[in-house]
Amino acid sequence: MRETPRAEPPQHRPHRAVAHTSGASCPGPPHRSDGRPPHTPRGVRRPDPLGRPGTTPPVPGRPALFSALVALAVVTWQVLVHGPLARLDERVSRAVVDAVPRPLSELASDLGNMTVALPVLACAMAYAVWRGRRLAALHAGLAMAAVPLLVIPLKEWTARPGPLEPWAAGYYPSGHTATAAVAYFGAAFLVSNRLIPVAAALTAVTATGLILRGFHWPLDVLASLTLCVPLLRWPVLAARYGRRSPVDGHGEDSWGTRSGATPSWSEDGRTN
């Protein structure tokens, strides 16, 4: 009669994924033996230049911020001295004003009205507060509050007349464009990054309507867009680094993971 084979201890299998379980004695972060990142949102985050975990909202870096400020300074200088760029701007404006029916261009320019743009941002701020992102909502509100504080002094300083009202002054930069950009992009950053193309389209439609209707010169619109780059940096940075909620000491990060919970790992490297 054959003997029953005795059970042998499990042998280590090469090329098998190794993962740390919760409470394991082996230190270090969970990893996979095949070099692939773990199946967890934290494993696919890209760090920022300072090495901190990044999230998806695009943040204007220093080169973009510097370029925007330089462009704003150059355009403002040309408007003040009525340089070649300002004269070209006036010729372009006269060629495109009333290129489309006025009701259509007026409808597009109305997207930059306070009565239209502010409710959109207010709803996004309320949603962000409900999701525990109070810091991001606060910074978005501060960015909108800064629009008139920056635009009105520039209007009074440059005193540029309008395309259809040469006797009036205070058209540079465009307040409607700045309002639309901060409101729609701020709302997109607070709600979902998938709405960023929608925010860009609404801002572009507003700017185009203002130019075609003759409410602003093209450089007025361009100056407002460059002015909004540093303003929009506030809510984006707050959305990146201020996503934790103080409720019960446990917040949710950008991927919806509870900050007080430790993910467990299975043998194939996936979170349980």
Side-chain angles (χ1 to χ4, degrees):
M1 186 173 75
R2 299 178 58 183
E3 295 182 358
T4 302
R6 290 178 294 179
E8 297 181 358
Q11 302 293 329
H12 175 71
R13 299 180 182 179
H15 309 296
R16 184 176 181 180
V18 179
H20 298 161
T21 59
S22 178
S25 59
C26 184
H31 64 278
R32 295 179 65 96
S33 60
D34 55 5
R36 290 183 293 171
H39 292 273
T40 175
R42 194 174 298 277
V44 297
R45 292 187 185 181
R46 293 177 294 180
D48 67 354
L50 300 180
R52 293 172 294 193
T55 51
T56 50
V59 179
R62 291 183 178 180
L65 182 62
F66 178 76
S67 300
L69 295 178
V70 169
L72 177 63
V74 171
V75 171
T76 304
W77 166 61
Q78 285 291 294
V79 169
L80 288 172
V81 301
H82 199 255
L85 190 60
R87 294 194 293 270
L88 175 63
D89 179 54
E90 294 174 358
R91 290 196 296 269
V92 171
S93 179
R94 295 189 182 99
V96 300
V97 168
D98 289 336
V100 299
R102 286 194 173 186
L104 184 60
S105 59
E106 288 180 357
L107 181 63
S109 62
D110 286 342
L111 293 175
N113 288 342
M114 288 285 190
T115 55
V116 178
L118 283 186
V120 175
L121 181 60
C123 293
M125 291 172 61
Y127 174 80
V129 171
W130 177 65
R131 293 298 302 269
R133 299 166 58 191
R134 299 178 181 86
L135 183 61
L138 174 62
H139 281 225
L142 291 176
M144 178 57 69
V147 169
L149 298 179
L150 295 176
V151 169
I152 293 177
L154 282 174
K155 285 179 175 291
E156 295 180 353
W157 180 38
T158 56
R160 190 183 193 189
L164 301 180
E165 297 180 349
W167 60 87
Y171 280 80
Y172 177 92
S174 169
H176 281 69
T177 303
T179 300
V182 172
Y184 298 136
F185 276 101
F189 292 143
L190 292 176
V191 177
S192 172
N193 293 331
R194 297 178 180 179
L195 296 177
I196 291 179
V198 178
L202 292 175
T203 304
V205 169
T206 304
T208 303
L210 292 169
I211 295 173
L212 296 180
R213 179 59 180 84
F215 288 150
H216 280 285
W217 308 98
L219 285 185
D220 301 347
V221 171
L222 177 61
S224 293
L225 294 177
T226 58
L227 185 65
C228 290
V229 173
L231 292 180
L232 289 172
R233 187 178 176 87
W234 295 353
V236 176
L237 287 176
R240 167 173 286 189
Y241 302 118
R243 288 175 180 257
R244 297 189 180 275
S245 172
V247 179
D248 298 332
H250 300 287
E252 292 186 357
D253 59 15
S254 59
W255 300 90
T257 304
R258 300 290 295 180
S259 61
T262 302
S264 58
W265 294 80
S266 59
E267 288 186 352
D268 59 355
R270 293 178 296 182
T271 56
N272 293 331

